[in-house]
Amino acid sequence: SAVISQKPSRDICQRGTSLTIQCQVDSQVTMMFWYRQQPGQSLTLIATANQGSEATYESGFVIDKFPISRPNLTFSTLTVSNMSPEDSSIYLCSVGLLEHAEETQYFGPGTRLLVL
Amino acid sequence: SQKIEQNSEALNIQEGKTATLTCNYTNYSPAYLQWYRQDPGRGPVFLLLIRENEKEKRKERLKVTFDTTLKQSLFHITASQPADSATYLCALTYSSASKIIFGSGTRLSIRP
């Protein structure tokens, strides 16, 4: 298993500003992911954070809006840039682990973002 | 594109009964299907994984079935308890290296 922490747990931001969310894992992992979950909605994958290379973004998400860093195997950051009220959501970090030949994901507690 | 359908309406069950949640998907079958539990204000927690060549899997009071003909998975909680109240998410993976696609979840409420 893995224990994942995220900072901040919540924030209220003004439109046009940027927020960087940190994700820390208690062990070295290869796969780290960033998701967004809007109220009552499914989790939507933003990108896969790759250590030592650029993140891989899903359709509808771009690096200029959601820059991601992955400086090592235990840490990643997601920045939400030039925020608008539509960016209000919960942002979740997760890691993929292979346990008993089965790949599962462990999630952080999430960062609740409100943009005014 | 692949779609996952979970009942968006909340499911209310009397304590002690079996709760059954449904996950339907379109297009081709995934390599494996997972179920997660999510409590308010928290990230999802992994519960069970079932592979496409498995019909059924159990873990304590939980049982998952996977029917690739019907393109459906059922998630059962037997002897349900109020502590089982949460949102349950179905998720599909198409290979060990591919991303996980989540359904929107079904909220389950167990009344005493």
Side-chain angles (χ1 to χ4, degrees):
Chain A
S1 66
V3 177
I4 303 165
S5 59
Q6 282 185 237
K7 283 197 284 189
S9 58
R10 58 179 62 223
D11 207 343
I12 300 173
C13 301
Q14 296 297 319
R15 69 169 68 211
T17 63
S18 297
L19 175 72
T20 295
I21 302 167
Q22 298 180 4
C23 176
Q24 180 74 54
V25 189
D26 68 342
S27 58
Q28 293 186 339
V29 295
T30 303
M31 308 289 283
M32 289 183 78
F33 307 93
W34 286 97
Y35 288 85
R36 182 170 73 183
Q37 186 177 31
Q38 292 173 320
Q41 301 295 314
S42 171
L43 281 78
T44 301
L45 181 63
I46 297 172
T48 302
N50 303 307
Q51 197 270 327
S53 63
E54 274 194 4
T56 305
Y57 289 84
E58 296 299 309
S59 175
F61 298 96
V62 295
I63 189 171
D64 289 346
K65 175 67 176 177
F66 297 101
I68 287 171
S69 79
R70 180 87 193 270
N72 56 53
L73 292 175
T74 65
F75 186 79
S76 178
T77 67
L78 168 75
T79 299
V80 187
S81 303
N82 188 25
M83 289 184 284
S84 66
E86 292 71 35
D87 294 320
S88 298
S89 188
I90 298 171
Y91 291 85
L92 294 147
C93 166
S94 78
V95 302
L97 294 180
L98 198 62
E99 295 184 327
H100 311 295
E102 295 178 344
E103 183 167 322
T104 61
Q105 287 202 3
Y106 290 88
F107 285 84
T111 296
R112 190 179 296 268
L113 172 62
L114 176 63
V115 184
L116 303 177
Chain B
S1 62
Q2 184 65 275
K3 286 185 180 177
I4 305 171
E5 296 174 354
Q6 293 187 259
N7 193 342
S8 59
E9 293 183 9
L11 185 62
N12 295 296
I13 300 291
Q14 178 73 44
E15 181 178 8
K17 302 289 187 183
T18 296
T20 299
L21 286 70
T22 305
C23 174
N24 294 294
Y25 59 90
T26 60
N27 299 334
Y28 46 96
S29 290
Y32 43 92
L33 189 150
Q34 302 179 38
W35 284 88
Y36 289 77
R37 168 183 173 143
Q38 187 172 24
D39 292 284
R42 299 197 172 192
V45 174
F46 170 76
L47 296 175
L48 276 172
L49 178 150
I50 186 166
R51 297 179 181 277
E52 63 176 332
N53 61 353
E54 298 175 318
K55 296 293 185 187
E56 180 180 298
K57 203 159 203 179
R58 292 175 186 259
K59 179 181 177 182
E60 298 173 353
R61 294 185 295 112
L62 308 180
K63 184 178 84 171
V64 172
T65 63
F66 192 5
D67 189 326
T68 55
T69 302
L70 293 178
K71 297 186 178 180
Q72 181 181 80
S73 173
L74 299 179
F75 177 79
H76 307 272
I77 305 176
T78 58
S80 59
Q81 305 165 1
D84 295 325
S85 299
T87 296
Y88 291 86
L89 305 169
C90 166
L92 311 184
T93 307
Y94 289 89
S95 72
S96 61
S98 72
K99 63 182 181 183
I100 295 179
I101 303 171
F102 284 87
S104 57
T106 297
R107 193 169 77 246
L108 174 66
S109 179
I110 308 296
R111 59 183 186 273

